[in-house]
Amino acid sequence: LYRLRANLDAVVSTGFEAEATLTIGPVRFAGGYAFADAHVRGTGPAAPLHRLRPAQTPRHTGHASLDWSARGYSSGVTLR
């Protein structure tokens, strides 16, 4: 059943996102967080999937980055 590809009635998702940035001289810190509460609404052939989380849909995600910029050069790193 999980390898069957078919349309669903709906995917309902609620959540929020937050992001912050702090710059100190040539250094910039940034970070963000997202929460998503998603579930399938299914009837008929999709009824076994009703109220399940859609595949590959994370509940929590986040990122952080550190950037440096000076004298025309810049560099950065981001974690997800």
Side-chain angles (χ1 to χ4, degrees), residues 44-55:
L49 303 176
H50 187 68
R51 294 189 181 164
L52 293 180
R53 179 175 258 332

Side-chain angles (χ1 to χ4, degrees), residues 3-79:
R3 293 180 185 254
L4 175 68
R5 301 291 184 212
N7 290 332
L8 300 170
D9 296 336
V11 173
V12 179
S13 180
T14 57
F16 68 90
E17 296 180 32
E19 188 166 310
T21 303
L22 173 65
T23 303
I24 301 173
V27 179
R28 179 168 97 52
F29 303 95
Y33 170 78
F35 170 79
D37 183 21
H39 63 274
V40 172
R41 222 184 255 168
T43 59
L49 303 176
H50 187 68
R51 294 189 181 164
L52 293 180
R53 179 175 258 332
Q56 301 176 352
T57 304
R59 184 178 296 270
H60 305 277
T61 59
H63 72 275
S65 65
L66 173 65
D67 300 309
W68 171 84
S69 180
R71 298 185 210 124
Y73 296 97
S74 62
S75 182
V77 63
T78 300
L79 301 172

